[in-house]
Amino acid sequence: MLDAAVRRDLLEAAVWAPSAENRHAFRYSFEGMQLRLHPDPAIAQASADQHYAMWLSIGAALENIVVAASVHGLRCEIARDRLSELADIRIDFVHRDAAPDELAACIGQRHTNRRLFYRGPRLSADERAALEAALAPLGGNWRLHWFDDDETRKPLCRLLREAEAHRYANAELHRAMFAGIRFDVGWRRSAEEGLPPAALGIEPGMRGAFSLLRHWPLARALARAGLHHAIAARASAFPARRAPHLCVLASRTALESVDALLRAGRAMERLWLAATRRGLAAQPFAAAVALARAGRSALDDAARARLVRAWRELVPDAHPVMVFRFGYAAPPAVRAGRPRASALVYRHQI
Ligand SMILES: Cc1cc2nc3c(=O)[nH]c(=O)nc-3n(C[C@H](O)[C@H](O)[C@H](O)COP(=O)(O)O)c2cc1C
């Protein structure tokens, strides 16, 4: 049986993992030396892009648990029943000989920084290699592709803008995006779940206009006038273009199974923690990867095929997991909060 302090530590680490729109798509339970993650059944009905982001988020929480467990000397064995997508993820704490992972200290510091401008200096080749080396404990499947010169960065920024623009021009994507933003908490406070507007990095003068954009008839009218491209550029391509680094985490193998998506989420989190350890600010951009996913999509086939084609050219022979911009910036004044870890535990076990 794990003692209560260790259990609390593991849950706290999991809760502070990044998650798409700050939604926690699983619950936990403990049984002896086993921790189970119970995926939210809503995943099975989610559109392809949400499905992707939800599994990546669970993978990130899983990695935080593994990293936090190492500090207690615990090594994890992870298993799940492959026949059912919604099967629990079982984490057995089997040994007491694990070496502490140096990324553990960064779990609480890691956050999404959406400030418009990141400063340099750029990382040296050795520093970039050190970020990639942080992925090594997960095997040799993961690569970082850097888009740091004008020629390579331009087409990636175009792709980011194109994907983001769909969120302002497609009714279903628009609804899904704005449903995740907690306008009810105002522009100063944080929120335990969902995205507090103050964490979005929107300039004070633009906040009123952004709030209005949540109304679909207005967003649709702007999209008909072609203005969604400018809005999307501000949200993605512009900050990506100006950052010291723009980077794609990619997998050598296809990301089709739930297990592969969980591993991708773990790799994403290790990269993010390693960047935090170096003092870097980081922001992921998920839309370009998530909207290219096969499955039930709000996008029509032609729009999705364009994203897929663009990815084939940008990272040939690899499968994109997530786009990140990196640089240096002051931490945001408000970051997304979390529910109490105990609120996510089944059967009041803590
Ligand atoms: C799978 C995934 C996709 C995400 N996509 C985006 C994104 O496209 N843009 C963005 O600004 N943040 C994105 N985020 C960051 C989340 O919004 C963020 O992790 C969450 O709100 C919690 O905030 P924190 O990272 O500051 O703890 C993503 C996170 C995950 C795990």
Side-chain angles (χ1 to χ4, degrees):
M1 179 90 174
L2 289 176
D3 74 52
V6 175
R7 286 197 278 172
R8 261 198 299 276
D9 201 31
L10 299 179
L11 294 186
E12 200 61 26
V15 162
W16 283 99
S19 59
E21 295 177 340
N22 197 27
R23 300 260 173 223
H24 308 282
F26 53 89
R27 292 293 178 269
Y28 318 88
S29 65
F30 277 105
E31 262 182 63
M33 292 293 279
Q34 188 179 79
L35 169 58
R36 282 176 179 243
L37 304 187
H38 308 270
D40 184 340
I43 295 184
Q45 270 86 51
S47 57
D49 58 307
Q50 290 177 333
H51 181 267
Y52 179 74
M54 286 164 108
W55 281 117
L56 244 59
S57 305
I58 298 179
L62 192 54
E63 184 59 20
N64 273 11
I65 292 168
V66 173
V67 169
S70 74
V71 174
H72 299 283
L74 296 168
R75 203 184 293 273
C76 301
E77 269 180 12
I78 299 165
R80 53 180 288 285
D81 176 358
R82 299 220 165 102
L83 294 178
S84 158
E85 169 169 83
L86 291 176
D88 297 344
I89 300 158
R90 303 186 300 274
I91 307 163
D92 282 292
F93 302 100
V94 284
H95 300 294
R96 296 196 176 269
D97 61 348
D101 190 321
E102 57 196 12
L103 296 181
C106 305
I107 287 175
Q109 296 160 23
R110 184 218 54 80
H111 60 269
T112 306
N113 193 322
R114 299 186 183 85
R115 285 192 189 276
L116 189 51
F117 297 109
Y118 286 180
R119 297 184 304 279
R122 285 190 169 183
L123 300 169
S124 66
D126 284 350
E127 288 167 329
R128 292 199 304 273
L131 282 185
E132 198 164 62
L135 304 172
L138 299 177
N141 190 39
W142 312 100
R143 281 286 164 277
L144 299 183
H145 297 253
W146 298 91
F147 291 80
D148 286 342
D149 58 68
D150 249 18
E151 202 185 319
T152 56
R153 191 175 287 205
K154 253 193 202 157
L156 177 54
C157 288
R158 252 200 316 273
L159 175 62
L160 294 181
R161 193 193 64 186
E162 181 179 339
E164 191 72 24
H166 289 306
R167 294 169 132 182
Y168 294 91
N170 175 299
E172 186 180 332
L173 295 177
H174 174 273
R175 189 172 52 247
M177 176 173 66
F178 280 96
I181 302 176
R182 294 286 307 278
F183 288 105
D184 59 299
V185 301
W187 286 89
R188 286 174 197 276
R189 289 173 34 220
S190 187
E192 287 185 354
E193 273 208 282
L195 293 169
L200 297 179
I202 294 171
E203 304 81 338
M206 301 292 289
R207 290 175 180 175
F210 181 76
S211 301
L212 289 175
L213 271 180
R214 81 184 115 149
H215 302 294
W216 172 239
L218 174 66
R220 185 182 49 201
L222 293 175
R224 283 183 180 154
L227 291 173
H228 58 307
H229 294 298
I231 299 165
R234 159 60 190 87
S236 60
F238 183 76
R241 193 73 196 274
R242 300 292 303 263
H245 292 286
L246 191 62
C247 165
V248 175
L249 167 65
S251 161
R252 287 177 199 270
T253 53
L255 299 170
E256 271 151 24
S257 66
V258 167
D259 287 333
L261 292 176
L262 287 171
R263 283 194 293 273
R266 293 184 63 186
M268 176 195 74
E269 176 63 348
R270 284 197 76 79
L271 171 61
W272 205 336
L273 290 173
T276 302
R277 188 157 176 268
R278 298 216 148 251
L280 290 166
Q283 182 185 11
F285 296 103
V289 181
L291 290 174
R293 300 281 301 173
R296 190 180 75 68
S297 173
L299 287 190
D300 61 47
D301 290 347
R304 195 179 75 76
R306 264 201 310 278
L307 300 180
V308 172
R309 258 198 317 275
W311 276 121
R312 275 202 205 111
E313 282 174 22
L314 286 165
V315 287
D317 307 323
H319 304 267
V321 173
M322 187 61 77
V323 183
F324 275 97
R325 68 173 169 128
F326 292 124
Y328 297 92
V334 173
R335 68 168 288 195
R338 297 294 192 276
R340 276 174 301 110
S342 56
L344 300 181
V345 177
Y346 270 174
R347 296 189 284 273
H348 307 291
Q349 289 194 326
I350 204 152

